[in-house]
Amino acid sequence: MESFCHKGLLYIKNIPHLELVRYRRVNVQRPAKPHYEKAKVLAVCEPRYPKFNYGLSPEVTCRKQTELKSKKIKEENPYELIIAKECLHWFNQSKMVAFFHANPIKGEDQFKARVMFHKHNMAIKQYGPNVIKYALENTKYSAVLPLFQSRTAVVFSPELQLAQLLKISKRIPQLILMTCIAEDRLLSRNEIVMYSNLPDLTTARAGLVATLNSAVSQVLSNITHHQRTLVSHLQKHAELLQKPEET
């Protein structure tokens, strides 16, 4: 009994082991995409073999490459052309067009941003690169095409409201203001801040009129200074001459 306990009970070891259990079937035809880091490693490790054109002259090789490029030309989408016409209409009818780099944003925050812009009679839009290319290529707005290499949001306003635009952009950190078109001029971020601190056109005109009036009055006072001085001296002299006669 002692030997049985010694050999059978005291020296029995329960070695833990792992069992892999799959709860769903693997889709072999459409496998899941790998993790971002793993995808980068796979992209770097992917082999690339040089393409040799044995037995072909350079002319034939160039001709084949041009044919392949011509076949790869994407056909124009009618729906994208309609959206491009609408986009160009927004650009032509707006006095202020602002461009924001759009970082990932929640749907709720995006709705709040649309509401804030709508309160000041502004509209925020997002277009794809093909639509922007159809709309702005060969126009006066073609200089802003490089801004649409990534996700870009565009804000249109029928009035010039740079101060309100800066206030709203500070409340939405997911949208980063890059540049703005105001009065047919492309402004940088510093120029937008400087432009927003300037008074409106009516106040500026009133200030200009006041400055011109002050300059005119100053010139008139300088011109008539000697005459007024002479007249005052003559009046004092006449008063001095009249005093002895009265006494």
Side-chain angles (χ1 to χ4, degrees), residues 4 41 107 114 124 127 134 153 157 162 184-185 212 222 238 245:
F4 173 75
V41 175
R114 291 181 181 275
I124 180 171
Y127 299 103
Y134 294 151
S157 175
L162 294 176
D184 292 335
R185 289 187 59 187
L212 294 176
N222 292 335
E245 295 177 358

Side-chain angles (χ1 to χ4, degrees), residues 50-65:
K51 296 180 181 180
F52 298 101
N53 297 318
Y54 296 103
L56 298 178
S57 62
E59 297 178 357
V60 177
T61 306
C62 293
R63 191 182 304 113
K64 286 189 175 182
Q65 291 180 356

Side-chain angles (χ1 to χ4, degrees), residues 131-150:
V131 174
I132 290 295
K133 184 178 179 181
Y134 294 151
L136 305 183
E137 196 173 17
N138 299 326
T139 62
K140 62 180 181 180
Y141 306 106
S142 58
V144 301
L145 286 175
L147 299 176
F148 292 88
Q149 298 297 327
S150 60

Side-chain angles (χ1 to χ4, degrees), residues 94-185:
S94 302
K95 292 184 179 179
M96 185 187 71
V97 182
F99 302 90
F100 291 86
H101 174 70
N103 288 321
I105 183 173
K106 296 180 181 179
E108 183 179 358
D109 296 336
Q110 188 175 8
F111 177 75
K112 291 180 181 178
R114 291 181 181 275
V115 170
M116 283 189 285
F117 283 116
H118 183 72
K119 286 182 179 179
H120 297 281
N121 198 16
M122 301 182 193
I124 180 171
K125 303 284 185 179
Q126 278 188 324
Y127 299 103
N130 293 332
V131 174
I132 290 295
K133 184 178 179 181
Y134 294 151
L136 305 183
E137 196 173 17
N138 299 326
T139 62
K140 62 180 181 180
Y141 306 106
S142 58
V144 301
L145 286 175
L147 299 176
F148 292 88
Q149 298 297 327
S150 60
R151 295 183 59 188
T152 304
V154 189
V155 174
F156 301 97
S157 175
E159 300 176 359
L160 195 62
Q161 307 180 71
L162 294 176
Q164 298 294 338
L165 182 68
L166 291 174
K167 289 181 181 178
I168 297 174
S169 63
K170 290 179 181 178
R171 298 177 61 183
I172 310 172
Q174 295 89 346
L175 299 179
I176 302 174
L177 180 61
M178 296 186 293
T179 184
C180 177
I181 298 177
E183 301 293 340
D184 292 335
R185 289 187 59 187

Side-chain angles (χ1 to χ4, degrees), residues 162-163 166 169-170 177 180 187-198:
L162 294 176
L166 291 174
S169 63
K170 290 179 181 178
L177 180 61
C180 177
L187 305 178
S188 64
R189 178 62 184 266
N190 295 331
E191 291 176 343
I192 293 172
V193 175
M194 181 183 67
Y195 208 115
S196 63
N197 294 328
L198 297 176

